[in-house]
Amino acid sequence: MKSKFFFLMECIFVVMFSITLTCGADDESEVTFFNVGQGNCTIFSSRKNGVVVIDAGSTSVPDGIGLSPLSSKIVSRIKPLLKAKTPLTFIMSHADQDHLNLVEFITRALCPKPVDRKNHSLKYIFGGEESEYKTSKSKELLDYANKEKICKVFGKDFTENLDGLSFSAPVDFRFPMDPSEIKFFSVKRETDDSDNNAPSIVMKIDLGGTTVMLTGDKTKKETKFIIERFRKLNKLDELRSDILLATHHGSFGDFVLEWAQLIRPKHIIFSAGSSSNWHPHSNAFLGYYSHSKESLSEVEWHLVKFHGVFEDIGDQRLRGISREVPSSEEKARGYDYAVTNYGLFVTSSQGTVSFYVDSSSAHLTYDANPTWKTARETIHSFINDPVLPDLSSPIEFESIHLDDEREIDIGSLLPRLKTIASLKSLSLKGCEVREAHVDELCELITVVSNLTSLNLKGIVLSSDSFAQIKEAWNHRGLSLQDN
């Protein structure tokens, strides 16, 4: 009798424990800003709305991996979130290809058969109206949706809600949207702005108390229109959000000062890659920072890159790493860097950035890659600046190039480099390396186990010193670039 009682109690415990685990998993919401290079892709997952992919496109993939491998990475991220009957919705903010040219590939991979699309209640939402989807990639996606009979709707078909602030999809569309989690603040072109970006969807997501504002490439004129609508109804506080995806990849042309002031985010994401578009622009980057400074969270130190001249703003927590050049050279010089521990993230620097909320504890955690793979000449001010964190901080370098930076104090630099376990490549080409530095350099070669490339071209040392350096490499079977 006793054994049966204990067996029954064990069964009850197992069942209750399983329910606890299930509820914990179901209650966790997450939003991921995927690193797609120059483009956008945001993945939202929750118990109420299933998986919602907001934009998925790229015109300049990260690290040149190609569109198909990039799409496969996104698929790998989504698959674990999809259970047997989890709803799946794609929202295309507008018709630009850097927001939608990966959608078809991802859809085919996740829902290869009609039964899969049915099981996941697959739906497409297109910002604006059908006539705007006429360029090659946007038309291809629309043709695919029509051919496969994917349930779809356009922003122009949404209706304004009684609150005067938000919009809802048509009832027969049956979008599994819970308004407590997703609110659409704009779904189409609302002004006479003829810009292709004007119809961009603006939406706010609630991750169990943590809010996220997504704006696509909404133009300045359209953004100001939204602000005025909220102002007239005395509802400006509704715009306040914890996390903001910067409008138009951080374009300065579409930056609206009041928008940043009203949202006051704790974290700002700039989804951008290295391309001729030069996103994010330093003026927009600093604009978002300056009007969100009091709200921005403190995170690990990390490097961010942007285009344009970085001004000295006198903030110890956001320091530029740049060279002084005439403003006429701004466009030609490409990107500069800054080091910060504010909640400012650029996907081309930090990679994919994710936020997780467990609604039972309302606890927000984030995950971002703090590694910066290459720091070139502009690092010299960082190395010699005692206010900034040491190179042994969470900022990790795989490759440091100090070509012709003769003003670098090599004697002070080499001991600091020994602390960087991630360092793989070091170029001191043309620097003032002297005989007194040889012992320190040899110790660096011995200590930093990942270092596999050392460039000393143009360095003038005695033959004995070079022999000593080469000997340090012998046991590792590595080659030295010296002449």
Side-chain angles (χ1 to χ4, degrees), residues 418-438:
K418 289 188 296 186
T419 66
I420 310 178
S422 60
L423 188 61
K424 296 180 180 178
S425 174
L426 173 64
S427 175
L428 300 176
K429 178 182 175 182
C431 292
E432 291 287 351
V433 180
R434 300 187 179 92
E435 303 291 334
H437 303 141
V438 172

PDB file of all heavy atoms in Angstrom, residues 418-438:
ATOM      1  N   LYS A 418      49.388  41.033 -24.982  1.00  0.00           N
ATOM      2  CA  LYS A 418      49.562  39.677 -24.459  1.00  0.00           C
ATOM      3  C   LYS A 418      48.316  39.171 -23.738  1.00  0.00           C
ATOM      4  O   LYS A 418      48.162  37.975 -23.518  1.00  0.00           O
ATOM      5  CB  LYS A 418      50.761  39.628 -23.494  1.00  0.00           C
ATOM      6  CG  LYS A 418      52.100  39.758 -24.190  1.00  0.00           C
ATOM      7  CD  LYS A 418      53.266  39.500 -23.248  1.00  0.00           C
ATOM      8  CE  LYS A 418      53.327  40.522 -22.140  1.00  0.00           C
ATOM      9  NZ  LYS A 418      54.546  40.335 -21.309  1.00  0.00           N
ATOM     10  N   THR A 419      47.416  40.081 -23.368  1.00  0.00           N
ATOM     11  CA  THR A 419      46.207  39.682 -22.638  1.00  0.00           C
ATOM     12  C   THR A 419      45.059  39.297 -23.568  1.00  0.00           C
ATOM     13  O   THR A 419      44.015  38.855 -23.109  1.00  0.00           O
ATOM     14  CB  THR A 419      45.725  40.830 -21.735  1.00  0.00           C
ATOM     15  OG1 THR A 419      45.292  41.926 -22.549  1.00  0.00           O
ATOM     16  CG2 THR A 419      46.835  41.303 -20.805  1.00  0.00           C
ATOM     17  N   ILE A 420      45.251  39.484 -24.889  1.00  0.00           N
ATOM     18  CA  ILE A 420      44.157  39.244 -25.839  1.00  0.00           C
ATOM     19  C   ILE A 420      44.241  37.820 -26.381  1.00  0.00           C
ATOM     20  O   ILE A 420      44.913  37.551 -27.379  1.00  0.00           O
ATOM     21  CB  ILE A 420      44.182  40.254 -27.004  1.00  0.00           C
ATOM     22  CG1 ILE A 420      44.297  41.684 -26.475  1.00  0.00           C
ATOM     23  CG2 ILE A 420      42.929  40.115 -27.864  1.00  0.00           C
ATOM     24  CD1 ILE A 420      44.378  42.729 -27.547  1.00  0.00           C
ATOM     25  N   ALA A 421      43.556  36.906 -25.730  1.00  0.00           N
ATOM     26  CA  ALA A 421      43.606  35.503 -26.145  1.00  0.00           C
ATOM     27  C   ALA A 421      43.026  35.292 -27.534  1.00  0.00           C
ATOM     28  O   ALA A 421      43.365  34.334 -28.216  1.00  0.00           O
ATOM     29  CB  ALA A 421      42.866  34.635 -25.130  1.00  0.00           C
ATOM     30  N   SER A 422      42.136  36.201 -27.970  1.00  0.00           N
ATOM     31  CA  SER A 422      41.465  36.034 -29.267  1.00  0.00           C
ATOM     32  C   SER A 422      42.304  36.491 -30.449  1.00  0.00           C
ATOM     33  O   SER A 422      41.955  36.248 -31.598  1.00  0.00           O
ATOM     34  CB  SER A 422      40.155  36.823 -29.268  1.00  0.00           C
ATOM     35  OG  SER A 422      40.407  38.204 -29.047  1.00  0.00           O
ATOM     36  N   LEU A 423      43.429  37.167 -30.186  1.00  0.00           N
ATOM     37  CA  LEU A 423      44.220  37.774 -31.256  1.00  0.00           C
ATOM     38  C   LEU A 423      44.816  36.724 -32.186  1.00  0.00           C
ATOM     39  O   LEU A 423      45.531  35.830 -31.760  1.00  0.00           O
ATOM     40  CB  LEU A 423      45.341  38.633 -30.654  1.00  0.00           C
ATOM     41  CG  LEU A 423      46.142  39.486 -31.635  1.00  0.00           C
ATOM     42  CD1 LEU A 423      45.234  40.489 -32.347  1.00  0.00           C
ATOM     43  CD2 LEU A 423      47.264  40.216 -30.925  1.00  0.00           C
ATOM     44  N   LYS A 424      44.498  36.841 -33.479  1.00  0.00           N
ATOM     45  CA  LYS A 424      45.001  35.904 -34.479  1.00  0.00           C
ATOM     46  C   LYS A 424      46.003  36.550 -35.429  1.00  0.00           C
ATOM     47  O   LYS A 424      46.901  35.884 -35.928  1.00  0.00           O
ATOM     48  CB  LYS A 424      43.837  35.326 -35.298  1.00  0.00           C
ATOM     49  CG  LYS A 424      42.854  34.486 -34.501  1.00  0.00           C
ATOM     50  CD  LYS A 424      41.735  33.961 -35.388  1.00  0.00           C
ATOM     51  CE  LYS A 424      40.745  33.128 -34.596  1.00  0.00           C
ATOM     52  NZ  LYS A 424      39.624  32.640 -35.445  1.00  0.00           N
ATOM     53  N   SER A 425      45.800  37.828 -35.709  1.00  0.00           N
ATOM     54  CA  SER A 425      46.655  38.503 -36.690  1.00  0.00           C
ATOM     55  C   SER A 425      47.081  39.862 -36.163  1.00  0.00           C
ATOM     56  O   SER A 425      46.253  40.635 -35.680  1.00  0.00           O
ATOM     57  CB  SER A 425      45.884  38.665 -38.009  1.00  0.00           C
ATOM     58  OG  SER A 425      46.625  39.431 -38.934  1.00  0.00           O
ATOM     59  N   LEU A 426      48.376  40.143 -36.274  1.00  0.00           N
ATOM     60  CA  LEU A 426      48.916  41.425 -35.818  1.00  0.00           C
ATOM     61  C   LEU A 426      49.860  41.974 -36.877  1.00  0.00           C
ATOM     62  O   LEU A 426      50.783  41.283 -37.324  1.00  0.00           O
ATOM     63  CB  LEU A 426      49.668  41.249 -34.492  1.00  0.00           C
ATOM     64  CG  LEU A 426      50.427  42.474 -33.958  1.00  0.00           C
ATOM     65  CD1 LEU A 426      49.435  43.598 -33.640  1.00  0.00           C
ATOM     66  CD2 LEU A 426      51.247  42.108 -32.732  1.00  0.00           C
ATOM     67  N   SER A 427      49.614  43.211 -37.310  1.00  0.00           N
ATOM     68  CA  SER A 427      50.488  43.869 -38.281  1.00  0.00           C
ATOM     69  C   SER A 427      51.103  45.106 -37.638  1.00  0.00           C
ATOM     70  O   SER A 427      50.398  46.018 -37.224  1.00  0.00           O
ATOM     71  CB  SER A 427      49.711  44.273 -39.536  1.00  0.00           C
ATOM     72  OG  SER A 427      50.547  45.014 -40.405  1.00  0.00           O
ATOM     73  N   LEU A 428      52.428  45.110 -37.541  1.00  0.00           N
ATOM     74  CA  LEU A 428      53.175  46.260 -37.023  1.00  0.00           C
ATOM     75  C   LEU A 428      53.983  46.907 -38.145  1.00  0.00           C
ATOM     76  O   LEU A 428      54.966  47.589 -37.904  1.00  0.00           O
ATOM     77  CB  LEU A 428      54.108  45.822 -35.890  1.00  0.00           C
ATOM     78  CG  LEU A 428      53.431  45.190 -34.677  1.00  0.00           C
ATOM     79  CD1 LEU A 428      54.469  44.707 -33.671  1.00  0.00           C
ATOM     80  CD2 LEU A 428      52.478  46.161 -34.011  1.00  0.00           C
ATOM     81  N   LYS A 429      53.530  46.681 -39.363  1.00  0.00           N
ATOM     82  CA  LYS A 429      54.227  47.162 -40.558  1.00  0.00           C
ATOM     83  C   LYS A 429      54.489  48.662 -40.484  1.00  0.00           C
ATOM     84  O   LYS A 429      53.575  49.461 -40.366  1.00  0.00           O
ATOM     85  CB  LYS A 429      53.381  46.850 -41.789  1.00  0.00           C
ATOM     86  CG  LYS A 429      53.967  47.334 -43.098  1.00  0.00           C
ATOM     87  CD  LYS A 429      53.001  47.013 -44.235  1.00  0.00           C
ATOM     88  CE  LYS A 429      53.497  47.600 -45.553  1.00  0.00           C
ATOM     89  NZ  LYS A 429      52.526  47.337 -46.651  1.00  0.00           N
ATOM     90  N   GLY A 430      55.767  49.045 -40.535  1.00  0.00           N
ATOM     91  CA  GLY A 430      56.136  50.451 -40.564  1.00  0.00           C
ATOM     92  C   GLY A 430      56.146  51.125 -39.210  1.00  0.00           C
ATOM     93  O   GLY A 430      56.439  52.315 -39.111  1.00  0.00           O
ATOM     94  N   CYS A 431      55.807  50.397 -38.114  1.00  0.00           N
ATOM     95  CA  CYS A 431      55.809  51.014 -36.788  1.00  0.00           C
ATOM     96  C   CYS A 431      57.234  51.119 -36.247  1.00  0.00           C
ATOM     97  O   CYS A 431      58.154  50.468 -36.744  1.00  0.00           O
ATOM     98  CB  CYS A 431      54.952  50.189 -35.829  1.00  0.00           C
ATOM     99  SG  CYS A 431      53.184  50.219 -36.217  1.00  0.00           S
ATOM    100  N   GLU A 432      57.398  51.914 -35.195  1.00  0.00           N
ATOM    101  CA  GLU A 432      58.716  52.115 -34.600  1.00  0.00           C
ATOM    102  C   GLU A 432      59.028  51.002 -33.596  1.00  0.00           C
ATOM    103  O   GLU A 432      58.957  51.191 -32.393  1.00  0.00           O
ATOM    104  CB  GLU A 432      58.773  53.486 -33.916  1.00  0.00           C
ATOM    105  CG  GLU A 432      58.747  54.669 -34.865  1.00  0.00           C
ATOM    106  CD  GLU A 432      60.066  54.840 -35.617  1.00  0.00           C
ATOM    107  OE1 GLU A 432      61.048  54.152 -35.267  1.00  0.00           O
ATOM    108  OE2 GLU A 432      60.100  55.628 -36.571  1.00  0.00           O
ATOM    109  N   VAL A 433      59.341  49.822 -34.127  1.00  0.00           N
ATOM    110  CA  VAL A 433      59.746  48.705 -33.282  1.00  0.00           C
ATOM    111  C   VAL A 433      61.265  48.760 -33.135  1.00  0.00           C
ATOM    112  O   VAL A 433      61.994  48.773 -34.132  1.00  0.00           O
ATOM    113  CB  VAL A 433      59.327  47.358 -33.887  1.00  0.00           C
ATOM    114  CG1 VAL A 433      59.761  46.214 -32.987  1.00  0.00           C
ATOM    115  CG2 VAL A 433      57.813  47.324 -34.082  1.00  0.00           C
ATOM    116  N   ARG A 434      61.761  48.781 -31.890  1.00  0.00           N
ATOM    117  CA  ARG A 434      63.198  48.909 -31.634  1.00  0.00           C
ATOM    118  C   ARG A 434      63.745  47.636 -31.007  1.00  0.00           C
ATOM    119  O   ARG A 434      63.007  46.740 -30.616  1.00  0.00           O
ATOM    120  CB  ARG A 434      63.457  50.114 -30.712  1.00  0.00           C
ATOM    121  CG  ARG A 434      62.986  51.448 -31.298  1.00  0.00           C
ATOM    122  CD  ARG A 434      63.447  52.599 -30.402  1.00  0.00           C
ATOM    123  NE  ARG A 434      63.025  53.882 -30.969  1.00  0.00           N
ATOM    124  CZ  ARG A 434      61.900  54.487 -30.680  1.00  0.00           C
ATOM    125  NH1 ARG A 434      61.037  53.907 -29.842  1.00  0.00           N
ATOM    126  NH2 ARG A 434      61.601  55.659 -31.206  1.00  0.00           N
ATOM    127  N   GLU A 435      65.076  47.596 -30.891  1.00  0.00           N
ATOM    128  CA  GLU A 435      65.747  46.424 -30.325  1.00  0.00           C
ATOM    129  C   GLU A 435      65.246  46.138 -28.908  1.00  0.00           C
ATOM    130  O   GLU A 435      65.116  44.985 -28.515  1.00  0.00           O
ATOM    131  CB  GLU A 435      67.268  46.663 -30.292  1.00  0.00           C
ATOM    132  CG  GLU A 435      67.905  46.977 -31.633  1.00  0.00           C
ATOM    133  CD  GLU A 435      67.903  45.791 -32.581  1.00  0.00           C
ATOM    134  OE1 GLU A 435      67.879  44.638 -32.100  1.00  0.00           O
ATOM    135  OE2 GLU A 435      67.928  46.020 -33.807  1.00  0.00           O
ATOM    136  N   ALA A 436      64.911  47.208 -28.160  1.00  0.00           N
ATOM    137  CA  ALA A 436      64.476  47.041 -26.778  1.00  0.00           C
ATOM    138  C   ALA A 436      63.117  46.347 -26.674  1.00  0.00           C
ATOM    139  O   ALA A 436      62.731  45.871 -25.606  1.00  0.00           O
ATOM    140  CB  ALA A 436      64.407  48.415 -26.088  1.00  0.00           C
ATOM    141  N   HIS A 437      62.386  46.279 -27.803  1.00  0.00           N
ATOM    142  CA  HIS A 437      61.046  45.681 -27.784  1.00  0.00           C
ATOM    143  C   HIS A 437      61.063  44.193 -28.147  1.00  0.00           C
ATOM    144  O   HIS A 437      60.025  43.533 -28.052  1.00  0.00           O
ATOM    145  CB  HIS A 437      60.130  46.406 -28.767  1.00  0.00           C
ATOM    146  CG  HIS A 437      60.019  47.874 -28.521  1.00  0.00           C
ATOM    147  ND1 HIS A 437      59.965  48.803 -29.535  1.00  0.00           N
ATOM    148  CD2 HIS A 437      59.975  48.582 -27.366  1.00  0.00           C
ATOM    149  CE1 HIS A 437      59.873  50.020 -29.017  1.00  0.00           C
ATOM    150  NE2 HIS A 437      59.880  49.906 -27.701  1.00  0.00           N
ATOM    151  N   VAL A 438      62.207  43.692 -28.580  1.00  0.00           N
ATOM    152  CA  VAL A 438      62.265  42.331 -29.126  1.00  0.00           C
ATOM    153  C   VAL A 438      61.870  41.275 -28.105  1.00  0.00           C
ATOM    154  O   VAL A 438      61.108  40.352 -28.403  1.00  0.00           O
ATOM    155  CB  VAL A 438      63.663  42.048 -29.713  1.00  0.00           C
ATOM    156  CG1 VAL A 438      63.782  40.568 -30.111  1.00  0.00           C
ATOM    157  CG2 VAL A 438      63.931  42.942 -30.916  1.00  0.00           C
TER     158      VAL A 438
END
